[in-house]
Amino acid sequence: MANKRMFSVDVVETDAFLELPSKSQLLYFHLGMRADDDGFVSSPRTIMRTTGCTACDLKRLEAAGYVISFDSGVLVVTDWKINNTLKNDRHHKTVFQSEFALLKESTSKRYILFNSGTISEPKWNQNGNQLEPQYSIVKDSVDKCR
């Protein structure tokens, strides 16, 4: 990991970034400082604790599209290649190659999740073929005695 990191004005001077709470902005800068040469952060929870930020601050960054979190616990700064450029001879590939394989670089140099073409069920429906209960309001179902 390099000792020098940069942040582009094109990213941090936008209205979307400046409308984030200051703690979320602080977390973004600290994540960017501790990311590897491909923008991956191996210990975001530790960084959150040392900066006094909460999981809510991280969720705001995710919702705004500034970071992508993976199930393995690592995250990637989506605007990494806009913020930082490294010469090929100084670049060290990330050790998180399985997560890196899930990403695609957009035309604007942002990381986006790459859809591998497989159709999967959403996370809320992961209990196989069990159907969710169906609620219906029927006019005649009200007890007439009451």
Side-chain angles (χ1 to χ4, degrees), residues 82-98:
I82 298 170
N83 289 332
N84 295 281
T85 55
L86 289 172
K87 294 180 180 179
N88 288 339
D89 62 335
R90 295 179 184 221
H91 179 266
H92 299 285
K93 289 184 178 182
T94 185
V95 296
F96 305 107
Q97 289 299 310
S98 59

Side-chain angles (χ1 to χ4, degrees), residues 40-60:
F40 284 85
V41 180
S42 62
S43 55
R45 304 275 181 230
T46 301
I47 295 168
M48 286 174 17
R49 282 191 300 270
T50 59
T51 58
C53 295
T54 63
C56 187
D57 297 315
L58 180 61
K59 290 291 182 194
R60 285 188 182 111

Side-chain angles (χ1 to χ4, degrees), residues 65-79:
Y66 289 102
V67 296
I68 297 172
S69 294
F70 295 96
D71 293 336
S72 62
V74 305
L75 65 80
V76 66
V77 179
T78 56
D79 294 315

